[in-house]
Amino acid sequence: MPKRPGRPPTVRSVRILVLRLVRENPQWGYRRVHGELLVLGVKVAASTVWEILQDAGIDPAPERTAGTWAGFLRSQADALLACDFLETVTLAGVRMYVLAVIEHRTHRIRILGATAHPTASWVVQAVRNLVMDLEDAGCRARWLIRDRDGKFPGLFDAVLADAGIKIVLTGVRMPRMNAIIERWVLTCRRELPDRTLI
């Protein structure tokens, strides 16, 4: 009987062992599994472990354990708020800062206030008013997404933490992490002035 070219097929028991190790340890990649197999005395190449995982349709280790940002937003939409400052100029030429919060599930906007000088005390009072409004409305928010703007003082986070709302900071220069409120801000800047008679 002529020999087939290439490597001999992997033994079935080794395949089962590789799949079991990956199932029990989802954070392990193929190289870690390969190392553990060597410790157990099973001699296979790292590329063989990779092929076994590919054939079984198992994703690489980081994609198995980590959820996506979009998945987090979908799963927590009922308990998720997002806030941002909108900078605008009035007809008199005065620069105003508008603090707005949006509920992810309903897309309901709450304008917390507008001021020419967003001091720490003004921002903290606005967030206290927000917490009272949420309690009155029966909103069960658990997360608030905000950017790293210097207008948010440390007490802002403390007031929300006392109310049981955790802060999720967006990455630096990553507006897509707070896309819903950023889209609303863009709507205010681009679309509303086109439909406003002065």
Side-chain angles (χ1 to χ4, degrees):
M1 189 168 182
K3 286 182 133 181
R4 282 181 21 191
R7 283 193 229 168
T10 308
V11 180
R12 185 172 182 271
S13 61
V14 172
R15 286 182 178 277
I16 292 171
L17 181 60
V18 167
L19 295 175
R20 179 179 172 198
L21 285 172
V22 170
R23 186 177 60 248
E24 292 175 359
N25 304 288
Q27 69 276 8
W28 287 4
Y30 73 94
R31 290 198 181 275
R32 174 74 188 267
V33 172
H34 174 251
E36 294 298 325
L37 289 173
L38 291 178
V39 170
L40 294 173
V42 179
K43 293 188 178 182
V44 293
S47 60
T48 303
V49 174
W50 183 83
E51 285 178 7
I52 292 170
L53 296 179
Q54 283 292 106
D55 292 343
I58 297 174
D59 292 328
E63 295 173 17
R64 270 184 267 143
T65 57
T68 63
W69 181 250
F72 169 75
L73 294 179
R74 276 192 304 275
S75 67
Q76 299 295 331
D78 288 342
L80 198 58
L81 300 171
C83 75
D84 201 3
F85 275 97
L86 166 64
E87 186 178 322
T88 185
V89 179
T90 64
L91 292 175
V94 178
R95 185 176 307 274
M96 299 290 286
Y97 297 92
V98 179
L99 180 57
V101 174
I102 190 169
E103 296 176 27
H104 270 240
R105 182 177 54 85
T106 61
H107 289 213
R108 179 179 177 195
I109 302 288
R110 296 173 187 268
I111 303 295
L112 302 184
T115 182
H117 306 286
T119 61
S121 60
W122 182 86
V123 175
V124 169
Q125 185 57 49
V127 79
R128 284 185 184 135
N129 294 343
L130 170 68
V131 169
M132 288 188 296
D133 288 346
L134 293 174
E135 288 173 358
D136 291 345
C139 181
R140 53 184 187 87
R142 291 184 19 229
W143 308 91
L144 182 126
I145 303 172
R146 71 169 180 84
D147 56 16
R148 299 169 185 268
D149 196 336
K151 296 180 198 75
F152 295 109
L155 199 52
F156 180 90
D157 298 346
V159 169
L160 290 170
D162 288 344
I165 300 173
K166 296 178 185 174
I167 299 295
V168 178
L169 294 175
T170 62
V172 177
R173 294 186 177 184
M174 296 183 71
R176 291 184 64 189
M177 284 184 73
N178 204 358
I180 293 179
I181 192 76
E182 294 292 343
R183 175 66 179 116
W184 180 78
V185 168
L186 190 65
T187 300
C188 289
R189 286 190 179 141
R190 290 199 177 154
E191 296 174 15
L192 287 180
D194 293 343
R195 292 170 176 78
T196 304
L197 295 176
I198 299 174

